[in-house]
């Protein structure tokens, strides 16, 4: 075989080798891209249902966070709670402003959130114990694309207090910057008798922690500190 006839064979082998190498590199890049996407999705899911967060972003909220993850603001440094009204999970309507003069416990939850399921019975038990002491619990249901799962959640866990239906999280965005982190679900706020945000936590609460968070405001008459 002449040198001229051997040259195309070498060229073909070289091209096939290059093609295989390029294909292998493309597969590696594809696997790496899929892994990166998977990691990003996993991170989002973790952040979307957090049970231990204590950071709420920037903003001058006056909160001082304790070692237990419960943040409090002194009288005179508390921000006004925003207007919170609308449709409830069960089809009714409420306006949180109607509860002014009471201590309001706001709990952000979703039926899709395991820590929310873990704390639901704790909230109902404490609510039954304190509702006759001028305390109202209100839920804010978020990211449930319909009210069906939310209603089933309330039935399963015996939740009797109302919950605003807020699938897009718009109500949370009404709070002063740094008060709530939309990615931290569940979260809980205590609004004092003057309608100001007195305490918050961005974590699931045991019955003991919820009682501890609420206790300072049960006897609070709403008058400014001397």
């Amino acid at each position: 075989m002449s040198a001229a006839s051997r040259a195309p064979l070498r060229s073909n082998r070289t091209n096939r080798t290059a093609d295989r190498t390029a294909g292998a590199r493309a597969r590696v890049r594809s696997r790496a891209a899929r892994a990166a996407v998977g990691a990003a999705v996993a991170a989002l899911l973790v952040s979307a249902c957090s049970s231990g967060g204590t950071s709420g972003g920037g903003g001058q909220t006056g909160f001082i966070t304790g070692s237990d993850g419960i943040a409090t603001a002194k009288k005179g440094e508390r921000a006004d709670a925003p207007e919170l009204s609308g449709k409830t999970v069960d089809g009714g309507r409420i306006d949180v402003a109607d509860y002014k003069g009471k201590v309001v416990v706001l709990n952000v939850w979703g039926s899709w959130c395991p820590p929310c399921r873990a704390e639901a019975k704790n909230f109902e038990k404490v609510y039954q114990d304190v509702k006759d002491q001028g305390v109202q619990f209100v839920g804010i249901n978020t990211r449930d694309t319909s009210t069906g799962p939310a209603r089933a959640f309330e039935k399963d866990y015996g939740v009797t207090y109302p919950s605003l239906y807020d699938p897009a999280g718009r109500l949370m965005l009404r709070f002063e910057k740094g008060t709530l982190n939309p990615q931290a679900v569940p979260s809980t706020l205590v609004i004092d008798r003057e309608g100001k945000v007195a305490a918050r936590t961005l974590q699931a609460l045991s019955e003991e922690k919820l009682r501890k968070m609420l206790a300072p405001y049960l006897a609070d008459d709403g008058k400014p500190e001397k």
Side-chain angles (χ1 to χ4, degrees), residues 49-52 110 112-120 122 153 185-186 203-205:
C49 193
S50 168
S51 61
W112 44 268
C113 170
C116 301
R117 294 193 287 272
E119 72 174 9
N122 301 330
F153 178 101
V185 180
Q203 60 181 325
L205 291 174

Side-chain angles (χ1 to χ4, degrees), residues 100-182:
K100 191 170 182 179
K102 292 187 174 185
V103 176
V104 177
V105 177
L106 282 175
N107 177 243
V108 181
W109 63 277
S111 67
W112 44 268
C113 170
C116 301
R117 294 193 287 272
E119 72 174 9
K121 289 187 176 181
N122 301 330
F123 274 72
E124 179 62 25
K125 187 174 190 306
V126 175
Y127 172 60
Q128 292 299 329
D129 288 347
V130 301
K131 66 181 182 179
D132 294 331
Q133 300 177 49
V135 180
Q136 177 64 50
F137 279 36
V138 177
I140 298 179
N141 172 259
T142 189
R143 296 190 214 156
D144 275 315
T145 56
S146 71
T147 58
R151 289 197 304 270
F153 178 101
E154 290 184 335
K155 181 179 179 181
D156 289 345
Y157 294 99
V159 176
T160 60
Y161 53 84
S163 283
L164 288 159
Y165 181 54
D166 185 32
R170 292 189 178 93
L171 294 179
M172 285 187 282
L173 296 177
R174 293 181 183 179
F175 286 89
E176 184 174 331
K177 184 179 179 182
T179 302
L180 285 175
N181 181 343

